[in-house]
Coordinates of all heavy atoms in Angstrom, one line a residue:
A121 N 151.8 87.7 91.1 CA 151.1 86.6 90.4 C 150.6 85.5 91.4 O 151.3 85.2 92.4 CB 152.1 86.0 89.4
E122 N 149.5 84.9 91.0 CA 149.0 83.8 91.7 C 149.4 82.5 90.9 O 148.7 82.2 90.0 CB 147.5 83.8 91.9 CG 147.0 85.0 92.8 CD 145.5 85.0 93.0 OE1 144.9 84.1 92.6 OE2 145.0 86.0 93.6
A123 N 150.5 82.0 91.2 CA 151.1 81.0 90.4 C 151.2 79.6 91.0 O 151.4 78.6 90.3 CB 152.5 81.4 90.0
E124 N 150.9 79.5 92.3 CA 151.0 78.2 92.9 C 150.0 77.2 92.3 O 148.8 77.5 92.2 CB 150.7 78.3 94.4 CG 150.9 77.0 95.2 CD 150.9 77.1 96.7 OE1 150.9 78.2 97.2 OE2 151.0 76.1 97.4
G125 N 150.5 76.0 91.9 CA 149.6 75.0 91.3 C 149.2 75.3 89.9 O 148.4 74.7 89.3
R126 N 149.9 76.3 89.3 CA 149.6 76.7 87.9 C 150.9 76.6 87.1 O 152.0 76.4 87.6 CB 149.1 78.1 87.8 CG 147.8 78.3 88.7 CD 147.3 79.7 88.6 NE 146.1 79.9 89.4 CZ 145.3 81.0 89.4 NH1 145.6 82.0 88.7 NH2 144.2 81.0 90.2
V127 N 150.7 76.7 85.8 CA 151.9 76.8 84.9 C 152.1 78.3 84.7 O 151.2 79.1 84.3 CB 151.6 76.1 83.5 CG1 152.7 76.3 82.5 CG2 151.3 74.6 83.7
L128 N 153.4 78.7 84.9 CA 153.7 80.1 84.9 C 154.5 80.5 83.6 O 155.5 79.9 83.3 CB 154.6 80.5 86.1 CG 155.1 81.9 86.1 CD1 154.0 82.9 86.2 CD2 156.1 82.1 87.3
L129 N 153.9 81.4 82.8 CA 154.6 81.9 81.6 C 155.4 83.2 82.0 O 154.8 84.1 82.6 CB 153.6 82.3 80.5 CG 154.2 83.1 79.3 CD1 155.2 82.2 78.6 CD2 153.1 83.5 78.4
V130 N 156.7 83.2 81.8 CA 157.5 84.3 82.1 C 158.0 84.9 80.7 O 158.5 84.2 79.9 CB 158.8 83.9 82.9 CG1 159.7 85.1 83.1 CG2 158.4 83.3 84.2
H131 N 157.8 86.2 80.5 CA 158.1 86.8 79.2 C 158.5 88.3 79.5 O 158.6 88.7 80.6 CB 156.8 86.7 78.3 CG 155.7 87.6 78.7 ND1 155.2 88.7 78.0 CD2 154.9 87.6 79.9 CE1 154.2 89.2 78.6 NE2 154.0 88.6 79.8
G132 N 158.6 89.0 78.4 CA 158.9 90.5 78.4 C 160.2 90.8 79.2 O 161.2 90.1 79.1
K133 N 160.2 91.9 80.0 CA 161.3 92.3 80.7 C 161.9 91.3 81.6 O 163.1 91.2 81.9 CB 161.0 93.6 81.5 CG 160.8 94.8 80.6 CD 160.5 96.0 81.5 CE 160.2 97.3 80.6 NZ 160.0 98.5 81.5
L134 N 161.0 90.5 82.2 CA 161.4 89.4 83.1 C 162.2 88.3 82.5 O 163.0 87.6 83.2 CB 160.1 88.8 83.8 CG 160.3 88.0 85.1 CD1 160.9 88.9 86.2 CD2 159.0 87.5 85.6
A135 N 162.1 88.2 81.2 CA 162.8 87.1 80.5 C 163.8 87.7 79.5 O 164.2 87.0 78.5 CB 161.8 86.2 79.8
R136 N 164.3 88.9 79.7 CA 165.2 89.5 78.7 C 166.6 89.0 78.8 O 167.4 89.2 77.9 CB 165.2 91.0 78.9 CG 165.9 91.6 80.1 CD 165.8 93.1 80.2 NE 166.6 93.6 81.4 CZ 166.2 93.6 82.6 NH1 164.9 93.2 82.9 NH2 166.9 94.1 83.6
Q137 N 167.0 88.4 79.9 CA 168.4 88.0 80.2 C 168.4 86.6 80.8 O 167.6 86.3 81.7 CB 169.1 89.0 81.0 CG 170.6 88.8 81.2 CD 171.3 89.9 82.0 OE1 170.9 90.1 83.1 NE2 172.2 90.6 81.4
Q138 N 169.3 85.7 80.4 CA 169.4 84.4 81.0 C 169.8 84.6 82.5 O 170.7 85.4 82.8 CB 170.5 83.6 80.3 CG 170.5 82.1 80.8 CD 171.5 81.3 80.0 OE1 172.6 81.6 79.9 NE2 170.9 80.2 79.5
L139 N 169.1 83.9 83.4 CA 169.4 84.0 84.8 C 170.6 83.1 85.2 O 170.7 81.9 84.7 CB 168.2 83.5 85.6 CG 166.9 84.3 85.4 CD1 165.7 83.7 86.1 CD2 167.1 85.8 85.7
M140 N 171.5 83.6 86.0 CA 172.6 82.8 86.4 C 172.2 81.7 87.3 O 171.2 82.0 88.1 CB 173.7 83.7 87.1 CG 174.3 84.7 86.2 SD 175.1 84.0 84.7 CE 176.3 83.0 85.5
P141 N 172.8 80.5 87.2 CA 172.4 79.5 88.2 C 172.5 79.9 89.6 O 173.4 80.7 90.0 CB 173.4 78.4 87.8 CG 173.8 78.6 86.4 CD 173.8 80.1 86.3
K142 N 171.6 79.4 90.4 CA 171.4 79.9 91.8 C 172.7 79.8 92.6 O 172.9 80.6 93.6 CB 170.2 79.3 92.5 CG 170.3 77.8 92.5 CD 168.9 77.2 92.9 CE 168.6 77.5 94.4 NZ 167.3 76.7 94.8
R143 N 173.5 78.8 92.4 CA 174.7 78.6 93.2 C 176.0 78.8 92.4 O 177.1 78.4 92.8 CB 174.7 77.1 93.7 CG 173.6 76.9 94.7 CD 173.8 75.6 95.5 NE 172.7 75.4 96.4 CZ 171.6 74.7 96.2 NH1 171.4 74.1 95.0 NH2 170.7 74.6 97.2
F144 N 175.9 79.6 91.3 CA 177.1 79.8 90.5 C 178.0 80.7 91.3 O 177.6 81.8 91.7 CB 176.7 80.5 89.2 CG 177.9 80.6 88.2 CD1 178.3 79.5 87.5 CD2 178.5 81.8 88.0 CE1 179.4 79.5 86.6 CE2 179.6 81.9 87.1 CZ 180.0 80.7 86.4
P145 N 179.3 80.4 91.5 CA 180.1 81.0 92.5 C 180.8 82.3 92.0 O 181.2 83.1 92.8 CB 181.1 80.0 92.9 CG 181.3 79.2 91.6 CD 179.9 79.1 91.0
F146 N 180.9 82.5 90.7 CA 181.8 83.5 90.2 C 181.1 84.8 89.8 O 181.7 85.9 89.7 CB 182.7 83.0 89.1 CG 183.5 81.8 89.5 CD1 183.3 80.6 88.8 CD2 184.4 81.8 90.5 CE1 184.0 79.4 89.1 CE2 185.1 80.7 90.9 CZ 184.9 79.5 90.2
Y147 N 179.8 84.7 89.4 CA 179.1 85.9 89.0 C 177.6 85.6 89.2 O 177.1 84.6 88.6 CB 179.4 86.2 87.5 CG 178.5 87.2 86.9 CD1 178.7 88.6 87.2 CD2 177.4 86.9 86.0 CE1 177.8 89.5 86.6 CE2 176.6 87.8 85.4 CZ 176.8 89.2 85.7 OH 176.0 90.1 85.2
N148 N 177.0 86.4 90.0 CA 175.6 86.1 90.3 C 174.9 87.4 90.8 O 174.8 87.7 91.9 CB 175.5 85.1 91.4 CG 174.2 84.2 91.3 OD1 173.2 84.7 90.9 ND2 174.3 83.0 91.6
P149 N 174.4 88.2 89.8 CA 173.8 89.5 90.1 C 172.6 89.4 91.1 O 171.8 88.4 91.0 CB 173.3 90.0 88.8 CG 174.1 89.3 87.7 CD 174.3 87.9 88.4

């Protein structure tokens, strides 16, 4: 995707599961 400077819509398979916080220490796939 060319997303820099744009609004990015994330959907479909990419948005099927909540993403764990980037620094969550106990579980981070």
Side-chain angles (χ1 to χ4, degrees):
E122 296 183 7
E124 184 170 355
R126 302 182 181 185
V127 175
L128 175 63
L129 170 65
V130 177
H131 71 116
K133 292 182 179 179
L134 198 58
R136 71 182 185 277
Q137 189 176 60
Q138 188 176 56
L139 300 177
M140 294 306 298
K142 56 193 291 186
R143 295 190 178 95
F144 191 75
F146 304 120
Y147 171 74
N148 212 324

